[in-house]
Amino acid sequence: MSVARYFDEMSYGPAPEADGEARAWLKRHEAGFGHFIGGGFVKPAGGQYFNAVDPATGAILGRVAQGDASDVDKAVAAARKAQGAWAKLPGHARARHLYALARAVQRHARLFAVIEALDNGKPIRETRDIDVPQVARHFYYHAGWAQLQASEFADHMPVGVVGQIIPWNFPLLMLAWKVAPALALGNTVVLKPAEFTSLTALLFAEISCAAGLPAGVLNVVTGDGSTGAALVGHEGVDKIAFTGSSEVGKLIREKTAGSGKSLTLELGGKSPFIVFDDADIDGAVEGVVDAIWFNQGQVCCAGSRLLVQEGIAEKFLSRLKRRMQNLRVGLPLDKAIDMGAIVAPVQLERIRSLVATGVAEGAELFQPDIDLPKGGCFYPPTLLTNVQTAATVAREEIFGPVLVSMTFRTPDEAVMLANNSRYGLSASVWSETIGLALDIAPKLQAGVVWINATNLFDASVGFGGYRESGYGREGGKEGAYEYLKPKAWSGRKPRIAAETPKEAESVAGFDLPALDRTAKLFIGGKQARPDGNYSRPVLSPKGVRLGEVGEGNRKDIRNAVAAARGAEGWSKATAHNRAQILYYLAENLSARAEEFAGRIAAMTGVTKAKAAAEVEAGIARLFSYGAWADKFEGSVHQPPLRGVALAMNEPIGVVGVVCPDEAPLLALISLTAPLIAMGNRVVLVPSERHPLAATDFYQILETSDVPAGVVNIVTGAAKDLTKTLAEHDDVDAVWVFGTKENAALAEKLSVGNLKRVLTDQGLVTDWFAPEAAEGPILLRHAVQVKNIWIPYGE
């Protein structure tokens, strides 16, 4: 083809990226890549390797070690050996190491970009211009947190040895998202890259060694799912950070239940891309291209559900189809393509199967008439229209270049359609009316919302989801906390089970009998008899019967959850109003302080002075959370673009709380107050042995303007009620403080809807110590952070 013809047709010719240096690096390792353990490459214990394959051509790039439990043992031992010394380094020293890693990434940027494109199949333009610069940015940014750790995280300490498992869609970037904060804050890492895309992790390990990172601080063990399972189950790992599918995330949650491991899960998504009728249509069409055909749609936060307002739907889809005709699919090293290859044949087949299912269920298929390379794993950009909300393709994450489209009429309908998903990772809102966009953003059940933009990321801005998209955040200060633990909780001792007193015998005389007292449950703002109509005695330490409480069951929990779900107005109330009610609770409790102290002393056997001190501490704690209600605020991130990202603290929703036996009133207040201060609604299971403090407390709730359903109290057996709360799919989180058995039960059974779980792992908290039981230490667990990106300017 002549130059003149190019000018006449304005067509693209091939613009291949040179790959000589990358091929030379692969050649140097043609004997096989070992694991990177203790500062060097070692052969796999089992002697097994698997092939790294170029998805665009099917060519073998290299041989990668298959890890087993023995390899994981060695890596964890190396990380454990290095962790103490690494954590003891001054923050400035760790900052210097992360700075060196950032500089090393920049020096080898083109090599990283080419290897990533070859191994993953994504276009070189994306690896060169997006992935690798973001990798360097993460190490620079987290070098700053290392430098500031002593002042900004003075009350926290490193978690320890962290096992990290990353996916194949952004192999190098996901490494940076996880490794940078972990190392910055004094942890050591055992990283398991994806089986399909291990090469850039091995290159990074090699370069980190050359950059002077101490041996054992970073370890890389390659392999398939069995290698990841060995890492997850290893007793020497203190935390697991996983990015991948929701199905595997649930298995990890179940596997780690009761182990005491900290857990961060960044999982799947089915993100809505909402276009209002006043949007810049051409801008929104380009947004769709970035949202779903970036990285071949293999993005957890891909805008895969297009919701267009009816008035512009026909025009919008017409322009979108025209734009799709101009997309180019080609070999990843061609700098003039828009889409590369799907990562592997198995993923390509999944995409084909789901598209066929969508068509069979009534969707209309559009694929542009464009050329695909011969051979390799290629799939064209695809649009499915007239998709019903219950269709498989509208509900399931396809993880490919497939967009499904629906329409809406009103903003409320747009929100309902957007939230009609078990996922909650991200969303995009397109409107030229900024007031409308900012009204919609808080209503979307998603951890990240982009206004007139999509797929914006930065190390300074937290990323993570709601619901089955996982929990925890990566990036920003909120992401840094995921790799730390409170110093105040580090010295807690195991709870020793108290012996249950035997009821003392009593002989009735001829005096007037005491009036019978059987406390009811408290559900929806009213006292309610238990469904089973059973009760249980409450005994003093000497076995004297003090009264009886209802024996709550599954139906009582169901009723309480329904009442809490119906009290959604509490989450929408102003923080000022919530603060006033917390102050009022404190005021009314103060008026009955002597009565509550007497009750505590009778139930627990403590002295009257100590019981009175517990009541006073409870009053002070209510005051504290009244103060925090309108002061535990979000922040404004300033990423390197013309715009801001608003990090908003939002209530989690309905939270089940199971209280311990020690300090029955103070523990109840300490766990309930931060939740309601932040706008959550609570289903509370009080101390199993000492529940009368809670049944007395609901009289305080009744007289303190607490709206019906905000706090619900179900007494009974802690284990049975914990099980019901953890299994309930309309409960968004559970806090379980008590036995280690109950903690493990809550974590294991929470997988149904991947609810957030906070437990004490059977360790005793000092409820009188503010540093252990008051303020941000619990408030951070009482909210979920939503980051709303707002670019500005033309």
Side-chain angles (χ1 to χ4, degrees):
M1 182 179 283
S2 67
V3 173
R5 186 174 172 186
Y6 279 125
F7 277 108
D8 289 339
E9 296 182 0
M10 295 300 289
S11 60
Y12 288 95
E17 171 73 25
D19 62 354
E21 187 176 345
R23 298 292 179 182
W25 180 77
L26 291 170
K27 180 74 173 176
R28 290 198 299 272
H29 292 278
E30 65 180 346
F33 290 91
H35 306 301
F36 186 79
I37 298 175
F41 286 101
V42 299
K43 293 181 179 180
Q48 300 296 311
Y49 292 83
F50 59 91
N51 291 332
V53 178
D54 179 348
T57 64
I60 295 174
L61 299 171
R63 297 169 66 242
V64 180
Q66 170 60 47
D68 60 18
S70 177
D71 298 310
V72 172
D73 280 342
K74 292 175 185 175
V76 173
R80 180 63 63 191
K81 182 179 178 181
Q83 198 273 322
W86 178 250
K88 289 177 183 175
L89 283 179
H92 174 66
R94 288 198 305 278
R96 292 275 290 268
H97 279 293
L98 266 76
Y99 176 79
L101 291 174
R103 296 289 288 141
V105 168
Q106 290 179 317
R107 282 197 304 275
H108 300 279
R110 192 54 61 96
L111 176 60
F112 275 118
V114 174
I115 293 292
E116 190 84 324
L118 289 172
D119 199 24
N120 173 273
K122 63 172 65 180
I124 184 69
R125 286 191 302 123
E126 293 179 7
T127 63
R128 180 195 66 197
D129 299 341
I130 299 173
D131 293 16
V132 175
Q134 276 288 311
V135 170
R137 163 71 174 151
H138 272 267
F139 282 99
Y140 277 124
Y141 175 81
H142 286 97
W145 281 133
Q147 181 75 33
L148 301 174
Q149 182 176 0
S151 60
E152 294 301 305
F153 302 106
D155 53 351
H156 282 70
M157 60 193 294
V159 171
V161 173
V162 181
Q164 300 179 329
I165 302 173
I166 58 176
W168 44 258
N169 58 335
F170 290 93
L172 185 62
L173 184 55
M174 290 296 100
L175 177 152
W177 279 25
K178 287 180 166 52
V179 170
L183 299 192
L185 298 167
N187 305 281
T188 52
V189 167
V190 178
L191 179 79
K192 209 292 284 185
E195 179 184 3
F196 293 146
T197 54
S198 301
L199 296 183
T200 45
L202 295 167
L203 174 59
F204 180 84
E206 183 177 288
I207 288 175
S208 73
C209 185
L213 192 68
V217 171
L218 172 66
N219 307 273
V220 179
V221 179
T222 54
D224 58 16
S226 65
T227 312
L231 182 59
V232 168
H234 200 289
E235 293 182 355
V237 172
D238 302 303
K239 175 184 175 66
I240 294 293
F242 171 78
T243 296
S245 71
S246 297
E247 291 72 24
V248 176
K250 290 182 178 183
L251 291 175
I252 291 173
R253 169 70 284 179
E254 192 169 3
K255 180 73 173 178
T256 58
S259 66
K261 288 184 176 73
S262 174
L263 190 61
T264 300
L265 298 175
E266 196 269 279
L267 308 176
K270 193 71 179 175
S271 301
F273 189 103
I274 307 169
V275 183
F276 286 97
D277 59 10
D278 67 340
D280 174 351
I281 293 180
D282 290 329
V285 166
E286 288 304 312
V288 170
V289 172
D290 289 338
I292 188 59
W293 295 306
F294 170 59
N295 197 26
Q296 300 72 251
Q298 299 170 133
V299 183
C300 55
C301 56
S304 55
R305 284 190 295 147
L306 174 62
L307 309 178
V308 186
Q309 200 155 16
E310 275 189 5
I312 62 166
E314 184 176 349
K315 180 191 296 185
F316 189 91
L317 292 174
S318 174
R319 293 192 191 182
L320 179 60
K321 290 175 182 178
R322 186 174 63 194
R323 179 67 178 88
M324 291 171 68
Q325 295 284 3
N326 295 321
L327 293 175
R328 301 185 72 244
V329 181
L331 296 176
L333 292 186
D334 185 346
K335 294 190 283 287
I337 65 162
D338 300 297
M339 288 173 52
I342 303 301
V343 73
V346 64
Q347 181 63 18
L348 180 62
E349 181 53 37
R350 171 181 166 82
I351 295 167
R352 287 172 173 163
S353 175
L354 283 168
V355 169
T357 299
V359 172
E361 292 178 350
E364 295 181 12
L365 172 67
F366 174 80
Q367 291 176 331
D369 183 19
I370 59 178
D371 293 330
L372 298 182
K374 305 301 181 185
C377 298
F378 293 95
Y379 196 82
T382 299
L383 172 64
L384 294 174
T385 55
N386 294 328
V387 175
Q388 302 301 310
T389 56
T392 301
V393 291
R395 294 182 290 105
E396 298 300 324
E397 184 179 34
I398 299 174
F399 222 65
V402 181
L403 177 68
V404 301
S405 176
M406 291 170 273
T407 62
F408 65 89
R409 292 182 178 178
T410 67
D412 286 344
E413 185 183 2
V415 171
M416 286 189 288
L417 286 171
N419 291 338
N420 183 32
S421 171
R422 68 181 188 273
Y423 298 110
L425 188 54
S426 65
S428 293
V429 181
W430 292 75
S431 171
E432 290 295 281
T433 306
I434 191 66
L436 172 63
L438 292 179
D439 177 59
I440 295 297
K443 298 175 181 178
L444 299 174
Q445 295 174 355
V448 181
V449 179
W450 295 291
I451 305 296
N452 293 325
T454 190
N455 281 339
L456 297 177
F457 309 101
D458 186 64
S460 67
V461 183
F463 182 87
Y466 293 2
R467 300 187 294 188
E468 289 192 34
S469 289
Y471 43 77
R473 293 294 181 265
E474 295 184 297
K477 192 170 187 179
E478 55 264 44
Y481 277 113
E482 302 292 343
Y483 290 95
L484 297 166
K485 60 184 180 182
K487 290 179 180 177
W489 286 357
S490 63
R492 296 185 296 184
K493 304 297 182 184
R495 183 177 281 104
I496 299 173
E499 187 175 339
T500 303
K502 183 179 293 186
E503 185 168 3
E505 294 183 5
S506 61
V507 179
F510 289 96
D511 295 333
L512 284 174
L515 289 175
D516 199 31
R517 184 182 194 277
T518 302
K520 298 176 183 177
L521 312 181
F522 187 69
I523 297 174
K526 299 177 181 178
Q527 298 182 37
R529 295 185 185 279
D531 170 70
N533 211 25
Y534 286 99
S535 62
R536 58 168 46 215
V538 180
L539 305 178
S540 75
K542 295 182 179 179
V544 176
R545 183 178 290 229
L546 303 175
E548 295 183 17
V549 294
E551 186 73 72
N553 64 15
R554 177 181 293 272
K555 186 175 180 183
D556 296 312
I557 291 291
R558 186 190 70 186
N559 293 340
V561 171
R565 187 61 65 187
E568 190 177 3
W570 180 252
S571 299
K572 299 175 182 178
T574 67
H576 171 74
N577 286 344
R578 294 198 297 268
Q580 296 300 300
I581 288 175
L582 283 158
Y583 290 137
Y584 197 16
L585 281 168
E587 179 183 334
N588 286 332
L589 178 59
S590 178
R592 296 175 58 181
E594 188 174 345
E595 175 190 340
F596 272 84
R599 176 71 71 191
I600 292 169
M603 285 191 302
T604 64
V606 301
T607 64
K608 289 184 178 180
K610 189 166 184 179
E614 181 177 341
V615 177
E616 285 303 316
I619 294 167
R621 198 139 293 167
L622 287 167
F623 251 79
S624 177
Y625 286 111
W628 276 115
D630 56 2
K631 298 174 185 66
F632 191 70
E633 299 173 311
S635 58
V636 179
H637 298 307
Q638 295 178 286
L641 84 163
R642 284 184 57 79
V644 295
L646 308 180
M648 298 178 61
N649 288 336
E650 295 190 336
I652 299 166
V654 174
V655 182
V657 176
V658 181
C659 297
D661 287 333
E662 67 270 10
L665 177 65
L666 181 57
L668 178 154
I669 291 173
S670 298
L671 295 173
T672 304
L675 286 165
I676 63 174
M678 295 296 102
N680 300 283
R681 294 91 72 197
V682 172
V683 177
L684 178 71
V685 177
S687 160
E688 182 174 337
R689 287 192 62 194
H690 312 305
L692 294 179
T695 57
D696 287 347
F697 190 71
Y698 68 55
Q699 297 170 12
I700 302 294
L701 296 171
E702 288 176 312
T703 59
S704 301
D705 295 339
V706 178
V710 171
V711 179
N712 306 273
I713 300 174
V714 180
T715 53
K719 181 179 179 181
D720 295 341
L721 299 179
T722 296
K723 179 177 184 294
T724 303
L725 283 168
E727 289 177 329
H728 201 302
D729 283 347
D730 221 15
V731 173
D732 301 299
V734 287
W735 290 13
V736 178
F737 285 68
T739 67
K740 188 172 183 179
E741 179 187 15
N742 281 0
L745 187 68
E747 291 176 335
K748 185 174 184 179
L749 299 179
S750 68
V751 299
N753 64 343
L754 273 177
K755 56 177 63 68
R756 295 171 56 171
V757 181
L758 175 65
T759 79
D760 61 4
Q761 299 295 334
L763 306 175
V764 180
T765 301
D766 182 357
W767 298 104
F768 287 87
E771 65 275 12
E774 182 182 310
I777 196 169
L778 289 172
L779 286 167
R780 275 192 291 272
H781 295 278
V783 297
Q784 48 195 355
V785 181
K786 172 182 287 179
N787 278 281
I788 302 176
W789 288 74
I790 310 173
Y792 49 74
E794 295 297 327

